[in-house]
Coordinates of all heavy atoms in Angstrom, one line a residue:
D289 N -9.9 6.0 7.6 CA -8.7 5.3 7.3 C -8.8 3.9 6.6 O -7.9 3.2 6.2 CB -7.6 5.1 8.4 CG -7.3 6.5 9.0 OD1 -6.9 7.3 8.3 OD2 -7.3 6.7 10.3
T290 N -10.1 3.4 6.7 CA -10.5 2.1 6.2 C -10.2 2.1 4.7 O -10.7 3.0 4.0 CB -12.0 1.8 6.6 OG1 -12.2 1.7 7.9 CG2 -12.5 0.6 5.8
A291 N -9.4 1.1 4.3 CA -9.0 1.1 2.9 C -8.1 -0.2 2.7 O -7.6 -0.8 3.6 CB -8.2 2.3 2.5
V292 N -7.8 -0.6 1.4 CA -6.7 -1.4 1.1 C -5.4 -0.7 1.0 O -5.5 0.4 0.3 CB -7.0 -2.2 -0.2 CG1 -5.9 -3.1 -0.5 CG2 -8.3 -3.0 0.0
Y293 N -4.4 -1.0 1.8 CA -3.2 -0.4 1.7 C -2.3 -1.0 0.9 O -2.1 -2.3 0.9 CB -2.7 -0.2 3.2 CG -3.4 0.9 3.9 CD1 -4.7 0.8 4.4 CD2 -2.8 2.2 4.3 CE1 -5.4 1.7 5.1 CE2 -3.5 3.0 5.1 CZ -4.8 2.8 5.4 OH -5.4 3.8 6.1
Y294 N -1.5 -0.3 0.1 CA -0.5 -0.9 -1.1 C 0.8 -0.2 -0.8 O 0.9 1.0 -0.5 CB -0.9 -0.5 -2.3 CG -2.3 -1.1 -2.8 CD1 -3.5 -0.4 -2.7 CD2 -2.3 -2.5 -3.3 CE1 -4.6 -1.0 -3.1 CE2 -3.6 -3.0 -3.7 CZ -4.7 -2.2 -3.7 OH -5.9 -2.8 -4.0
C295 N 1.8 -1.1 -0.9 CA 3.2 -0.7 -0.9 C 3.7 -0.5 -2.3 O 3.2 -1.2 -3.2 CB 4.0 -1.8 -0.2 SG 5.8 -1.4 -0.2
A296 N 4.4 0.5 -2.6 CA 4.9 0.8 -4.0 C 6.1 1.4 -4.1 O 6.8 1.9 -3.0 CB 3.9 1.9 -4.6
A297 N 6.9 1.0 -5.2 CA 8.3 1.6 -5.4 C 8.4 2.3 -6.7 O 7.7 2.0 -7.6 CB 9.2 0.3 -5.4
S298 N 9.3 3.2 -6.8 CA 9.6 4.0 -8.0 C 11.0 4.3 -8.0 O 11.8 4.1 -7.1 CB 8.8 5.3 -7.9 OG 9.4 6.2 -7.0
S299 N 11.5 4.6 -9.1 CA 13.0 5.1 -9.3 C 13.3 6.1 -8.3 O 12.6 6.9 -8.0 CB 13.2 5.5 -10.7 OG 12.9 4.6 -11.7
G300 N 14.6 5.9 -7.8 CA 15.1 6.7 -6.6 C 15.2 8.2 -7.2 O 15.7 8.5 -8.3
S301 N 14.8 9.1 -6.3 CA 14.8 10.5 -6.4 C 14.7 11.3 -5.2 O 14.2 10.6 -4.2 CB 13.5 10.9 -7.4 OG 13.5 12.3 -7.3
S302 N 15.2 12.4 -5.2 CA 15.0 13.2 -3.9 C 13.6 13.7 -3.8 O 13.1 14.1 -2.6 CB 16.1 14.3 -3.8 OG 16.0 15.2 -4.9
Y303 N 13.0 13.7 -4.8 CA 11.7 14.3 -5.0 C 10.6 13.1 -4.7 O 10.7 12.0 -5.4 CB 11.3 14.9 -6.3 CG 9.9 15.4 -6.4 CD1 9.4 16.4 -5.6 CD2 9.0 14.6 -7.3 CE1 7.9 16.7 -5.9 CE2 7.6 15.0 -7.3 CZ 7.1 16.1 -6.6 OH 5.8 16.5 -6.6
I304 N 9.7 13.2 -3.8 CA 8.7 12.2 -3.7 C 7.3 12.6 -4.4 O 6.7 13.5 -4.0 CB 8.4 12.1 -2.1 CG1 9.7 11.6 -1.3 CG2 7.2 11.1 -1.9 CD1 9.5 11.6 0.2
N305 N 7.1 11.7 -5.3 CA 5.9 11.9 -6.2 C 4.6 11.3 -5.4 O 4.8 10.2 -4.9 CB 6.0 11.3 -7.5 CG 5.2 12.0 -8.7 OD1 4.0 12.0 -8.3 ND2 5.7 12.4 -9.6
T306 N 3.6 12.0 -5.5 CA 2.4 11.5 -4.7 C 1.4 10.9 -5.7 O 0.3 10.3 -5.2 CB 1.7 12.6 -3.9 OG1 1.3 13.5 -4.8 CG2 2.6 13.2 -2.9
S307 N 1.7 10.8 -7.0 CA 0.8 10.3 -8.0 C 1.1 8.7 -8.1 O 2.2 8.4 -8.3 CB 0.9 10.9 -9.4 OG 0.3 10.2 -10.3
P308 N 0.1 7.9 -7.9 CA 0.3 6.5 -8.2 C 0.8 6.1 -9.5 O 1.5 5.0 -9.7 CB -1.1 5.8 -7.9 CG -2.1 6.9 -8.0 CD -1.3 8.2 -7.7
T309 N 0.6 6.9 -10.5 CA 1.1 6.6 -11.9 C 2.7 6.7 -11.9 O 3.3 6.2 -12.9 CB 0.5 7.5 -12.8 OG1 0.9 8.8 -12.6 CG2 -1.1 7.4 -12.9
S310 N 3.2 7.3 -10.9 CA 4.8 7.4 -10.9 C 5.5 6.2 -10.2 O 6.6 6.1 -10.2 CB 5.2 8.6 -10.0 OG 4.7 9.8 -10.7
Y311 N 4.6 5.2 -9.8 CA 5.2 4.1 -9.1 C 5.0 2.8 -10.0 O 3.8 2.5 -10.4 CB 4.6 3.9 -7.7 CG 5.0 4.9 -6.8 CD1 4.4 6.2 -6.9 CD2 6.1 4.8 -5.8 CE1 4.8 7.2 -6.0 CE2 6.3 5.8 -5.1 CZ 5.7 7.1 -5.2 OH 6.2 8.1 -4.3
G312 N 6.0 2.1 -10.3 CA 5.9 1.0 -11.3 C 5.8 -0.4 -10.7 O 5.5 -1.3 -11.3
A313 N 6.0 -0.4 -9.3 CA 6.0 -1.8 -8.7 C 4.9 -1.6 -7.5 O 5.0 -0.6 -6.8 CB 7.2 -2.3 -8.1
W314 N 4.1 -2.6 -7.5 CA 3.2 -2.6 -6.4 C 3.0 -3.9 -5.7 O 3.2 -5.0 -6.3 CB 1.7 -2.2 -7.0 CG 1.6 -0.9 -7.5 CD1 2.0 -0.4 -8.8 CD2 1.1 0.3 -6.9 NE1 1.8 1.0 -8.8 CE2 1.3 1.4 -7.7 CE3 0.5 0.4 -5.6 CZ2 1.0 2.6 -7.3 CZ3 0.3 1.7 -5.3 CH2 0.3 3.0 -6.0
G315 N 2.6 -4.0 -4.5 CA 2.2 -5.2 -3.7 C 0.7 -5.5 -4.0 O 0.1 -4.7 -4.7
Q316 N 0.3 -6.5 -3.4 CA -1.0 -7.1 -3.5 C -2.0 -6.3 -2.7 O -3.3 -6.4 -2.9 CB -1.2 -8.5 -3.3 CG -1.2 -9.0 -1.8 CD 0.1 -8.8 -0.9 OE1 1.1 -8.5 -1.5 NE2 0.0 -9.0 0.3
G317 N -1.7 -5.6 -1.6 CA -2.5 -4.9 -0.8 C -2.8 -5.6 0.5 O -2.9 -6.8 0.5
T318 N -3.1 -5.0 1.5 CA -3.7 -5.5 2.7 C -4.8 -4.5 3.3 O -4.7 -3.4 3.2 CB -2.5 -5.5 3.8 OG1 -2.9 -6.3 5.0 CG2 -1.9 -4.2 4.2
Q319 N -5.9 -5.2 3.7 CA -7.0 -4.5 4.1 C -6.8 -4.0 5.5 O -6.5 -4.8 6.5 CB -8.3 -5.5 4.0 CG -9.5 -4.9 4.6 CD -10.1 -3.8 3.7 OE1 -10.2 -4.1 2.5 NE2 -10.4 -2.7 4.2
V320 N -7.3 -2.8 5.7 CA -7.3 -2.1 7.0 C -8.7 -1.6 7.2 O -9.3 -1.0 6.5 CB -6.3 -1.1 7.3 CG1 -6.6 -0.2 8.5 CG2 -4.8 -1.6 7.2
T321 N -9.5 -2.1 8.4 CA -10.7 -1.7 8.6 C -11.0 -1.1 10.0 O -10.4 -1.8 11.0 CB -11.7 -2.9 8.5 OG1 -11.6 -3.5 7.2 CG2 -13.2 -2.5 8.8

C-alpha cells in the first residue's frame, strides 16, 4: 500500500471512472509508507 496518495475530482456522474485521465483536478499528494 506504500505510495503517494492523491485526491481527485471529476464532473458528477452516477458512473465512477477508474482512469486517472477522467479526473481534471488533483491535490498535491500525501506519502503513505
Side-chain angles (χ1 to χ4, degrees):
D289 294 317
T290 295
V292 177
Y293 283 70
Y294 296 91
C295 180
S298 71
S299 298
S301 170
S302 59
Y303 175 72
I304 295 175
N305 202 309
T306 62
S307 170
T309 60
S310 297
Y311 292 79
W314 292 86
Q316 82 289 351
T318 185
Q319 176 71 46
V320 171
T321 303

